[in-house]
Amino acid sequence: MTSKTTTPRKHAHPAFPGPGHNHVACLSQTLDRAKSAFETRGLRLTDLRLRVFTEIAASHHAMGAYDIIERLGAKGTRLAPVSVYRAIEALTAAGVVHRLESANAYFACHAAHASQRQHIVLSCRTCRTIAEVAAEAVFDAIEDIASVHGFKADTRIVEISGLCAHCVEKASQ
Amino acid sequence: MTSKTTTPRKHAHPAFPGPGHNHVACLSQTLDRAKSAFETRGLRLTDLRLRVFTEIAASHHAMGAYDIIERLGAKGTRLAPVSVYRAIEALTAAGVVHRLESANAYFACHAAHASQRQHIVLSCRTCRTIAEVAAEAVFDAIEDIASVHGFKADTRIVEISGLCAHCVEKASQ
DNA sequence: AACCGATACGTTATAATATAACAATACCTA
DNA sequence: TAGGTATTGTTATATTATAACGTATCGGTT
Ligand SMILES: [Zn+2]
Ligand SMILES: [Zn+2]
Ligand SMILES: [Zn+2]
Ligand SMILES: [Zn+2]
């Protein structure tokens, strides 16, 4: 028999990391995916790029280029802005870092984008956490409306700001 | 009987201004709507704001703040950046100018947003023209996916870059 | 190994975008 | 007209990003 106090079913891989999130393991997988991404594209994940990526992927937050410079500077190596921007360029080209357009900031792709499905960005304005979530219906609707207007879409930016589930819960307490 | 050579039905109010676009009339209506927008909100469309708005609304393109400064400068008044930014802030608050996040630029709202329906931004990478188009299905899909993740959406940015119908046609010739 | 072309990185300077702080002025209302 | 508020002016500075050019490193070829 089932208990009367079953907890609601949660996502196996919740988009927003919860309190129990093991980011050490998360980061390790993210680094592995980054290495694969560079390899399969015939690009080189150099030491500089790896250090910049590790800094960005250290959290699920978006980070400005100058934040990265400061953090790496605190670890001993003061990089010139252009070096960081070049690393970011390579990382975004490899698809392991994305730019949060509405914040002029950069975040690591922690989801396995392996499937070619497109993702939208959810950004919590309280805890600053970023999540990418698959949203085929959104992109289907975009293609529909674009075609109605004879528009041939190329790049699609969908960035939603609001409150993540964890922060909604906290706010209601 | 109908002719065999009927031209395809066009939008009554095409999102992208075509070759025959009468922008003088378009601008006049846009200015009228801006005046109403300020009035109904109890805000003041001052001379500075009107001049900045007129410059932005002079085209269907997005324009950087410093472009505005240069253009107004060429007309005799050299404004400080902060003045233009403050005008832009008032104009966006009134809803008659929007920010193109992916370009750090600003564009006038030429569509009657009177209906509260939300719009997505289509941006042609060839002719640089911006169009806002209603897209309820897109926003419905966004709400769906957000609610799946327990996310309470606040601001929604949808910016699509690509080729407008006019530029698609030119490219295929 | 020596060479070569391509890619990546370092160094310096500067461009482009945006805001802070405070003074002066214009507008509204009493 | 006096007084408070909103707006604008003035100056300085913060933040984000790229240009230009030289040096080093990588990877393949002779
Ligand atoms: Zn994590
Ligand atoms: Zn949150
Ligand atoms: Zn027009
Ligand atoms: Zn076009």
Side-chain angles (χ1 to χ4, degrees):
Chain A
M1 64 172 283
T2 57
S3 157
K4 273 171 84 175
T5 57
T6 51
T7 48
R9 189 78 154 80
K10 293 286 171 58
H11 285 271
H13 298 290
F16 283 88
H21 177 63
N22 177 358
H23 191 65
V24 173
C26 168
L27 175 59
S28 159
Q29 291 166 23
T30 295
L31 286 174
D32 285 346
R33 276 195 303 270
K35 283 168 192 163
S36 301
F38 273 85
E39 248 176 57
T40 61
R41 289 165 214 250
L43 303 171
R44 291 164 50 202
L45 182 50
T46 63
D47 177 64
L48 173 66
R49 290 167 185 177
L50 182 58
R51 277 185 294 150
V52 170
F53 182 65
T54 303
E55 213 52 57
I56 297 175
S59 77
H60 291 250
H61 298 168
M63 192 178 294
Y66 286 79
D67 291 335
I68 299 168
I69 291 173
E70 279 188 28
R71 283 163 199 258
L72 286 176
K75 292 182 180 167
T77 41
R78 187 89 202 163
L79 290 173
V82 71
S83 293
V84 168
Y85 277 103
R86 284 194 286 225
I88 289 171
E89 187 182 22
L91 293 164
T92 53
V96 300
V97 161
H98 304 301
R99 178 180 160 86
L100 187 65
E101 298 290 345
S102 50
N104 295 338
Y106 308 88
F107 62 97
C109 182
H110 286 291
H113 264 222
S115 70
Q116 283 308 73
R117 294 181 302 166
Q118 297 182 90
H119 292 60
I120 70 172
V121 178
L122 302 181
S123 171
C124 178
R125 68 176 144 77
T126 295
C127 69
R128 298 285 172 206
T129 301
I130 304 284
E132 287 182 83
V133 304
E136 272 158 302
V138 172
F139 292 99
D140 288 348
I142 287 171
E143 294 315 311
D144 283 353
I145 189 71
S147 85
V148 163
H149 293 277
F151 189 88
K152 192 164 163 39
D154 185 12
T155 67
R156 298 153 188 86
I157 294 166
V158 181
E159 295 178 0
I160 313 301
S161 177
L163 289 183
C164 77
H166 308 303
C167 290
V168 166
E169 200 172 341
K170 276 183 212 149
S172 70
Q173 283 171 1
Chain B
M1 61 175 288
T2 58
S3 156
K4 276 168 89 174
T5 58
T6 51
T7 47
R9 189 77 157 78
K10 295 285 170 58
H11 284 272
H13 298 291
F16 284 88
H21 178 63
N22 178 357
H23 191 65
V24 173
C26 169
L27 175 59
S28 159
Q29 291 166 23
T30 295
L31 286 173
D32 284 347
R33 278 194 302 270
K35 283 167 192 164
S36 303
F38 272 82
E39 247 176 57
T40 60
R41 289 164 213 251
L43 304 171
R44 289 165 50 204
L45 181 51
T46 63
D47 177 63
L48 174 66
R49 292 167 184 177
L50 181 57
R51 278 185 294 150
V52 169
F53 183 65
T54 303
E55 213 53 57
I56 297 175
S59 76
H60 291 249
H61 298 168
M63 192 177 295
Y66 285 79
D67 291 334
I68 298 167
I69 291 172
E70 277 187 31
R71 283 163 199 258
L72 286 175
K75 290 182 181 168
T77 39
R78 187 90 204 162
L79 291 172
V82 71
S83 294
V84 169
Y85 278 104
R86 284 194 288 226
I88 290 171
E89 187 181 23
L91 293 165
T92 53
V96 299
V97 162
H98 305 301
R99 179 180 160 85
L100 188 64
E101 298 289 346
S102 50
N104 295 336
Y106 308 88
F107 62 95
C109 183
H110 286 290
H113 264 223
S115 70
Q116 283 308 75
R117 294 182 303 166
Q118 297 181 92
H119 292 59
I120 70 173
V121 178
L122 303 180
S123 171
C124 179
R125 69 176 142 78
T126 295
C127 69
R128 298 286 172 204
T129 300
I130 304 284
E132 286 182 85
V133 304
E136 272 157 302
V138 172
F139 292 99
D140 288 348
I142 287 171
E143 293 317 308
D144 283 352
I145 189 71
S147 86
V148 164
H149 293 277
F151 190 89
K152 191 165 164 39
D154 186 10
T155 67
R156 298 154 188 86
I157 294 165
V158 182
E159 296 178 359
I160 313 300
S161 177
L163 289 184
C164 77
H166 308 301
C167 290
V168 167
E169 201 172 340
K170 276 185 212 150
S172 69
Q173 283 171 359

